[in-house]
């Protein structure tokens, strides 16, 4: 970052001052981001001497932002992320698959088109036979007698046996696949971004998923009774700060939870997830948090056990197109909202600038 001299106020020379870093937290089990959230802004002088002492102060001056024309934008003005509109179909849940899934064949596009001969292959992962606590009992009628089916989707469809049907259409596979619940399985997705202090490009915290080796938002399942802000903070801690299962008890996780309470809601609904089946599918709540330089610098990224890698990744036309499930669409929506709120624009290569 450029340091610009803004004034010589007297004879006593003080060292150049920068916005101070908040103190590092006591070493704890989850210490990638600690201390209080700073309100110090780059470019704002921070005076630490007594009023009588005149000092020379150097502060960071923000770089001149480039101008980005409409044809260089990542997202055109007024863009609509169609994949996220209710009633839109799905593609990855028809063409990609979870680990060890059978072939999906060529399922019909919609339930209306499904011909009477549509015979999806039944598949449930062997782990479901062990009745893990996070899954429904194998007997669907018993499972549905124990709890109400809920969904963020406006269309709630049922088959002839009362089985929940995927609201975006057939997938070629019946049963629960790798998912535990009949109907919607609820997750939360934290989209955490920064503007890189040197390159000026918009970046997000991204993982490479262990299961399918695809770049993804570090999201995860909502635990029973857990607040969404709690899931967002926990998943970020577990998957990107290398800290496992602390149940929301560390100072850092609590701080992240507070930060997520002020995060921007981006999307709530169906995820076009490769694990979806005709009877089980993913739904999520995605939230966006843009960190300032100081907050981002205090995150010490380390992969958790569900991730093959974690890093800050530039948000570009190319990287969005390669993301897991609907994650590229969630990030697009987050960028659209952030542009509106900040008055800034993002170019196709991730450069943050002003409208030309
Ligand atoms: C996706 O699966 C959600 O968007 C979320 O990112 C993720 C949660 O599943 P796990 O990562 O816990 O397997 O559909």
């Amino acid at each position: 970052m450029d340091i610009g001299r803004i004034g010589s106020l007297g004879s006593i020379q003080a060292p150049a001052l920068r916005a101070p870093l908040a103190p590092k937290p006591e070493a704890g089990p989850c210490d990638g981001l600690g201390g209080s959230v700073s309100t110090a802004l780059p470019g704002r002088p921070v005076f630490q001497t007594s009023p009588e002492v005149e000092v020379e102060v150097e502060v960071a001056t923000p770089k001149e932002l480039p101008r980005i024309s409409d044809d260089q934008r990542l997202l055109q003005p007024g863009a609509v992320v169609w994949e996220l509109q209710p009633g839109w179909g799905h593609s990855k849940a028809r063409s990609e698959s979870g680990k060890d899934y059978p072939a999906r064949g060529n399922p019909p596009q919609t339930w209306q088109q499904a011909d009477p001969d549509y015979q999806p292959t039944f598949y449930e992962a062997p782990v479901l036979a062990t009745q893990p606590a996070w899954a429904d009992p194998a007997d669907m009628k018993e499972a549905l007698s124990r709890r109400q089916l809920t969904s963020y989707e406006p269309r709630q469809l049922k088959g002839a046996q009362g089985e929940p049907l995927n609201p975006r259409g057939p997938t070629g596979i019946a049963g629960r696949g790798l998912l535990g619940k009949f109907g919607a399985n609820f997750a939360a997705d934290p989209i955490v971004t920064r503007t890189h202090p040197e390159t000026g490009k918009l970046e997000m915290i991204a993982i490479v998923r262990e299961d399918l080796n695809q770049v993804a938002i570090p999201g995860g399942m909502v635990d029973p009774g857990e607040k969404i802000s709690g899931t967002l903070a926990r998943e970020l801690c577990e998957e990107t700060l290398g800290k496992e299962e602390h149940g929301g008890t560390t100072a850092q996780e609590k701080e992240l939870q507070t930060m997520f309470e002020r995060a921007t809601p981006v999307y709530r609904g169906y995820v076009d997830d490769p694990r979806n089946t005709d009877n089980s599918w993913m739904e999520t709540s995605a939230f966006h948090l843009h960190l300032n330089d100081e907050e981002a610098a205090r995150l010490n990224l380390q992969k958790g056990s569900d991730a093959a890698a974690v890093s800050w990744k530039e948000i570009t036309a190319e990287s969005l197109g390669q993301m897991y499930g609907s994650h590229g669409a969630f990030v697009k929506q987050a960028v659209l909202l952030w542009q509106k709120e900040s008055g800034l624009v993002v170019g196709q290569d991730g450069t943050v600038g002003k409208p030309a």
Side-chain angles (χ1 to χ4, degrees):
M1 179 170 290
D2 296 328
I3 303 294
R5 175 165 293 194
I6 61 160
S8 175
L9 305 176
S11 57
I12 300 172
Q13 296 286 305
L17 299 177
R18 286 167 177 270
L21 287 185
K24 279 258 178 203
E26 292 304 308
C30 194
D31 60 358
L33 174 81
S36 58
V37 177
S38 169
T39 54
L41 296 172
R44 176 184 292 173
V46 182
F47 298 101
Q48 293 179 326
T49 54
S50 71
E52 302 85 52
V53 182
E54 291 183 337
V55 294
E56 180 179 10
V57 178
E58 288 181 340
V59 295
T61 45
K63 276 192 180 140
E64 185 74 17
L65 289 174
R67 297 276 166 183
I68 297 177
S69 61
D70 281 359
D71 61 342
Q72 294 170 321
R73 286 182 186 226
L74 181 64
L75 298 156
Q76 291 308 309
V80 174
V81 186
W82 290 108
E83 304 95 293
L84 302 184
Q85 305 311 307
W88 200 251
H90 51 189
S91 66
K92 296 189 180 174
R94 296 166 43 80
S95 58
E96 295 183 17
S97 287
K99 207 161 179 276
D100 300 328
Y101 274 38
R104 290 189 182 272
N106 186 20
Q109 292 283 349
T110 66
W111 291 114
Q112 285 80 9
Q113 286 169 0
D115 70 57
D117 297 333
Y118 172 55
Q119 295 277 331
T121 308
F122 182 88
Y123 177 70
E124 293 200 341
V127 65
L128 297 185
T130 66
Q131 296 264 326
W134 46 268
D136 278 339
D139 183 90
M140 184 197 68
K141 290 216 161 102
E142 188 195 337
L144 299 188
S145 70
R146 290 193 194 174
R147 67 179 179 91
Q148 287 276 95
L149 283 174
T150 53
S151 170
Y152 293 135
E153 289 288 295
R155 280 189 350 147
Q156 288 170 36
L157 308 173
K158 283 196 175 162
Q161 309 301 317
E163 71 278 20
L165 290 181
N166 189 312
R168 302 288 177 109
T171 66
I173 295 178
R176 288 172 292 168
L178 265 168
L179 303 176
K181 307 264 194 236
F182 292 98
N185 290 253
F186 293 100
D189 282 296
I191 303 167
V192 179
T193 58
R194 70 166 178 184
T195 307
H196 190 285
E198 266 107 48
T199 64
K201 294 198 176 175
L202 187 65
E203 297 184 335
M204 64 176 285
I205 299 180
I207 59 163
V208 176
R209 289 180 63 98
E210 273 272 302
D211 51 0
L212 297 181
N213 212 32
Q214 294 180 9
V215 176
I217 300 167
M221 299 293 188
V222 180
D223 284 345
E226 190 176 44
K227 280 169 81 175
I228 300 288
S229 55
T231 312
L232 296 165
R234 180 175 55 72
E235 288 295 335
L236 204 63
C237 263
E238 288 175 11
E239 293 198 14
T240 73
L241 303 176
K243 313 297 175 183
E244 304 292 325
E245 311 279 340
H246 295 296
T249 53
T250 65
Q252 179 181 43
E253 212 169 305
K254 285 186 185 142
E255 180 189 341
L256 284 168
Q257 181 166 348
T258 309
M259 290 168 82
F260 276 115
E261 274 158 14
R262 69 166 163 88
T264 307
V266 168
Y267 173 74
R268 213 167 72 159
Y270 185 82
V271 187
D272 187 7
D273 189 298
R275 296 169 296 182
N276 291 351
T277 69
D278 286 1
N279 310 120
S280 290
W281 59 90
M282 293 298 306
E283 296 191 14
T284 198
S285 304
F287 281 77
H288 175 217
L289 197 57
H290 186 74
L291 302 182
N292 63 31
D293 288 353
E294 183 202 338
E295 289 165 340
R298 285 192 288 126
L299 284 177
N300 177 20
L301 299 186
Q302 286 174 50
K303 77 176 192 70
S305 60
D306 283 356
V310 61
S311 64
W312 287 101
K313 192 164 175 61
E314 286 176 4
I315 297 175
T316 65
E318 196 188 352
S319 69
L320 287 178
Q322 294 165 347
M323 292 191 78
Y324 179 84
S326 317
H327 289 192
F330 303 160
V331 178
K332 275 189 203 166
Q333 185 66 18
V335 171
L336 280 174
L337 295 171
W338 182 70
Q339 290 185 144
K340 212 178 245 180
E341 190 187 297
S342 65
L344 299 171
V345 213
V346 181
Q348 283 159 19
D349 66 350
T351 300
V352 176
K354 289 188 175 163

